[in-house]
């Protein structure tokens, strides 16, 4: 197969997109050949505001049903591929929307939320994010993990502190993930994961999605798609070809106000970090350029089987396990 043919034939899953929701984005997902994506509907929001986000997202999806379909099971991902649509998985980047109510976990599962990150950069009732002194997983957090396991919701640890991450990995009875991360072995950054952390999650049946967010890549805003592929290979050499996938962290369409909201604790309090200029790697600036990634991985000598696993098959297997299918 040519790279284009392989991309068209493969299951292609982006494990984290936090782009601006509109028809233009969904059209670009189709141009990029995305079979499914984990789309963020909650970061700093509480229960009510998150429900409002889901309502707005569902309305847009109804209006754009020629482009997308909701995903609640991996069978829905297969259907999306057959229909030539992109399957939308609702995901949180913070468990804050559960507030202090364990029962909200199942409520959000019923609304279509399949992936939830335990903390976003800072402390919440569950545990600690990567920009604070890490106090580990709370007692309430252990109950949340157990409930997420029960209803079939994937625990995400991308922005979570190292101690809290390790304790979630050990606490969970189902695989957990870093949906979007990079290795600190290529660049030291609070958001990047050490070789030891990457090996630990893989050794315990977990999964690693690799991001291309340039502030965390070795060459920053000068990064190219080859720098992204280097990071994918680096992580694959640690976790193996069956525990790795894609989680771009596309922020397409957002303005500076959005990044100010992201980088302040709770969306308004102290500044946690400053990303500077936001530009994706040359060669994959937009979601529509996703086929370039398949081609770049093949050019670096990865086999078709490995590329299929990285581009989506590993995500499907992990989700099937966690979602209890």
């Amino acid at each position: 197969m040519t790279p284009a043919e392989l991309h068209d034939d493969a299951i292609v899953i982006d494990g984290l997109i936090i782009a601006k929701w509109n028809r233009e984005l969904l059209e670009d997902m189709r141009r990029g050949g995305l079979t499914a994506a984990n789309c963020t509907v909650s970061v700093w929001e509480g229960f009510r505001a998150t429900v409002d986000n889901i309502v707005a997202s569902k309305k847009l999806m109804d209006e754009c049903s020629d482009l997308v379909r909701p995903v609640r099971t991996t069978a829905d991902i297969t259907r999306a591929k057959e229909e030539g649509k992109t399957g939308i998985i609702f995901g949180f980047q913070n468990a804050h929307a559960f507030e202090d109510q364990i029962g909200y976990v199942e409520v959000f599962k019923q609304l279509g939320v399949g992936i939830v990150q335990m903390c976003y950069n800072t402390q919440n009732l569950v545990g600690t994010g990567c920009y604070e002194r890490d106090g580990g997983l709370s007692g309430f957090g252990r109950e949340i993990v157990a409930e997420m396991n029960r209803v079939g919701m994937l625990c995400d640890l991308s922005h979570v502190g190292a101690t809290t991450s390790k304790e979630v990995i050990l606490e969970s009875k189902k695989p957990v993930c870093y949906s979007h991360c990079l290795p600190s072995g290529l660049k030291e950054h609070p958001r990047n994961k050490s070789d030891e952390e990457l090996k630990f999650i893989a050794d315990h049946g977990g999964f690693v999605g690799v991001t291309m967010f340039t502030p965390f890549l070795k060459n920053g805003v000068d990064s190219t798609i080859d720098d992204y592929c280097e990071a994918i290979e680096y992580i694959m050499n640690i976790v193996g070809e069956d525990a790795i996938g894609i989680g771009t962290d596309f922020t397409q369409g957002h303005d500076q106000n959005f990044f100010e909201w992201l980088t302040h604790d709770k969306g308004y309090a102290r500044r946690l970090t400053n990303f500077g200029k936001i530009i994706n790697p040359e060669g994959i600036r937009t979601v529509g350029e996703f086929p370039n990634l398949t081609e770049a991985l093949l050019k670096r000598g990865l086999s078709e089987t490995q590329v299929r696993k990285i581009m989506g098959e590993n995500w499907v297997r992990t989700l099937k396990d966690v979602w209890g299918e």
Side-chain angles (χ1 to χ4, degrees), residues 155-319:
C155 297
D156 183 0
L157 304 169
S158 302
H159 288 249
V160 178
T163 302
T164 301
S165 293
K166 183 176 182 179
E167 292 180 357
V168 171
I169 292 166
L170 294 174
E171 186 73 20
S172 180
K173 302 298 188 289
K174 291 188 175 182
V176 303
C177 78
Y178 296 128
S179 68
H180 57 299
C181 75
L182 282 166
S184 57
L186 292 178
K187 182 175 183 177
E188 279 293 336
H189 192 283
R191 266 282 283 112
N192 291 351
K193 308 300 180 184
S194 69
D195 291 3
E196 292 74 22
E197 289 174 293
L198 293 167
K199 187 175 188 305
F200 190 81
I201 196 170
D203 285 349
H204 289 80
F207 179 89
V208 180
V210 188
T211 185
M212 60 175 202
F213 195 57
T214 52
F216 311 150
L217 278 170
K218 182 177 67 177
N219 291 321
V221 294
D222 297 320
S223 296
T224 68
I225 197 168
D226 284 325
D227 294 309
Y228 183 33
C229 290
E230 178 189 17
I232 292 170
E233 288 181 314
Y234 183 100
I235 291 177
M236 187 172 73
N237 287 336
I238 295 171
V239 305
E241 65 182 53
D242 295 318
I244 187 169
I246 303 301
T248 62
D249 207 5
F250 264 116
T251 56
Q252 196 166 323
H254 283 302
D255 60 15
Q256 186 58 35
N257 288 335
F258 175 77
F259 292 105
E260 290 296 311
W261 178 72
L262 279 186
T263 54
H264 285 76
D265 187 29
K266 312 299 182 284
Y268 71 91
R270 71 188 185 283
R271 176 176 289 282
L272 301 168
T273 187
N274 189 350
F275 293 141
K277 184 179 180 182
I278 304 295
I279 184 169
N280 291 326
E282 183 184 353
I284 189 165
R285 302 272 200 229
T286 66
V287 184
E289 292 184 302
F290 235 95
N292 294 348
L293 181 56
T294 296
E295 182 175 9
L297 289 170
L298 290 168
K299 279 184 177 178
R300 292 178 73 92
L302 275 69
S303 69
E304 285 192 8
T305 299
Q306 288 174 320
V307 171
R308 285 180 185 273
K309 288 179 178 181
I310 293 168
M311 294 303 289
E313 288 180 0
N314 289 338
W315 262 120
V316 173
R317 191 190 64 255
T318 300
L319 292 171

Side-chain angles (χ1 to χ4, degrees), residues 140-154:
F140 176 73
R142 295 178 194 282
E143 293 182 275
I144 289 292
V145 171
E147 182 68 356
M148 288 175 66
N149 283 175
R150 186 187 73 82
V151 305
M153 195 179 276
L154 178 60

Side-chain angles (χ1 to χ4, degrees), residues 3-53:
E5 289 170 340
L6 178 61
H7 189 84
D8 287 343
D9 188 63
I11 297 288
V12 179
I13 296 180
D14 192 335
L16 198 290
I17 290 183
I18 189 172
K20 189 173 179 62
W21 281 86
N22 53 33
R23 184 175 177 90
E24 182 181 1
L25 172 70
L26 302 182
E27 288 173 343
D28 212 30
M29 285 183 176
R30 293 311 312 136
R31 275 190 289 273
L34 262 66
T35 312
N38 168 23
C39 298
T40 299
V41 292
S42 186
V43 181
W44 297 119
E45 295 94 338
F47 177 85
R48 173 69 183 270
T50 298
V51 171
D52 288 344
N53 288 346

Side-chain angles (χ1 to χ4, degrees), residues 61-118:
M61 289 168 64
D62 287 344
E63 292 168 353
C64 300
S65 59
D66 57 319
L67 300 173
V68 296
R69 63 165 296 125
V71 169
R72 292 174 178 267
T73 68
T74 55
D76 291 329
I77 295 174
T78 302
R79 291 189 194 100
K81 184 69 179 177
E82 292 168 349
E83 294 168 356
K85 297 179 181 180
T86 298
I88 303 297
I89 304 163
F90 288 152
F92 295 175
Q93 292 215 46
N94 196 343
H96 178 63
F98 296 150
E99 298 183 354
D100 59 358
Q101 299 298 313
I102 296 169
Y104 288 176
V105 176
E106 185 168 19
V107 168
F108 278 121
K109 175 68 176 181
Q110 291 170 345
L111 290 175
V113 177
I115 302 171
V116 169
Q117 185 166 234
M118 311 314 290

Side-chain angles (χ1 to χ4, degrees), residues 121-148:
N121 293 336
T122 60
Q123 182 86 41
N124 64 17
L125 294 178
V126 168
T128 311
C130 62
Y131 283 98
E132 288 190 327
R133 183 179 61 186
D134 196 341
L137 185 65
S138 69
F140 176 73
R142 295 178 194 282
E143 293 182 275
I144 289 292
V145 171
E147 182 68 356
M148 288 175 66

